[in-house]
Amino acid sequence: MQHYNILFICTANASRSQMAEAIVNHFAKDKFTAYSAGSKATGVVNPLAIATLQHFGLATASLRSKSWNEFLSPNAPQMDFIFTLCDSAAGESCPTWPGLPMIAHWGVADPSLPYKEEDRRKAFHDAFVIIKHRIDLLTALPFEKLEHLALQHHIREIGGQASTSS
C-alpha cells in the first residue's frame, strides 16, 4: 500500500490545520502522514484546539504553529496532497510546491470567532467533527483504482468544491 503525505494549510496555522494534522496522524497513519502550516503562522496553537483534540483522545505534544516555508526546503517531505482549510488561505497566492501535489480547498469555519467561550468550545467541537468526516471520506477512496483526474475530482468534492481544473 502506498503512503501519502498531506499538508493542511490555514493562514495563521493556529487551530484547524493542527486539528486536521492530529486527526490524520491518529486515525489514518497507516496510509497518510499529515503536517500543517500557514502563510502567516502565529507561532501559537489555540488552547481550545488542543483541548478539543485531547477530549477526543488525540496526541497534541508535537503540534506547533509553523510557516509553510518549512515545507518548501529541499529537506522537507514531498507532499501528495495539500488542503486549505480557511478561506483566506484558499485565496492566497500559494507557492509552487515540489512534486506538484493535488490541491483542494476544504473550508471550515474559524472556530475561534464566537465571543462567548461556550460558543467557541462548540465551534471547535463542530470543526473537529467536520474535519474528521472529510478525512474519513478521503481515507475511504480507492486510491489504487482512481486515475489522477478522478482522484482530483473526489478530493475537491469532499470539500464541497466544483471539480474544475486544478
Side-chain angles (χ1 to χ4, degrees), residues 17-144:
S17 47
Q18 281 89 359
M19 291 171 68
E21 176 183 357
I23 292 167
V24 167
N25 291 335
H26 182 86
F27 293 105
K29 62 186 171 195
D30 57 327
K31 193 171 187 173
F32 299 95
T33 300
Y35 305 90
S36 66
S39 59
K40 297 175 183 89
T42 63
V44 178
V45 180
N46 188 306
L48 284 175
I50 298 294
T52 301
L53 291 167
Q54 290 172 342
H55 170 80
F56 286 102
L58 278 64
T60 59
S62 66
L63 298 177
R64 63 187 179 85
S65 178
K66 56 203 158 297
S67 170
W68 64 16
N69 290 333
E70 288 189 28
F71 298 94
L72 295 170
S73 75
N75 299 330
Q78 186 171 308
M79 296 301 143
D80 299 293
F81 302 96
I82 296 179
F83 299 112
T84 54
L85 299 176
C86 69
D87 291 342
S88 59
E92 291 177 336
S93 178
C94 290
T96 301
W97 299 100
L100 301 174
M102 290 189 190
I103 299 172
H105 179 57
W106 286 4
V108 176
D110 186 350
S112 65
L113 291 180
Y115 293 108
K116 293 188 215 170
E117 183 170 343
E118 60 270 15
D119 293 340
R120 280 195 309 273
R121 288 188 183 282
K122 181 181 180 332
F124 273 90
H125 178 274
D126 293 349
F128 178 96
V129 170
I130 290 166
I131 294 166
K132 171 76 167 69
H133 177 70
R134 290 177 181 172
I135 290 167
D136 288 345
L137 292 172
L138 175 69
T139 60
L141 290 174
F143 285 76
E144 61 285 345

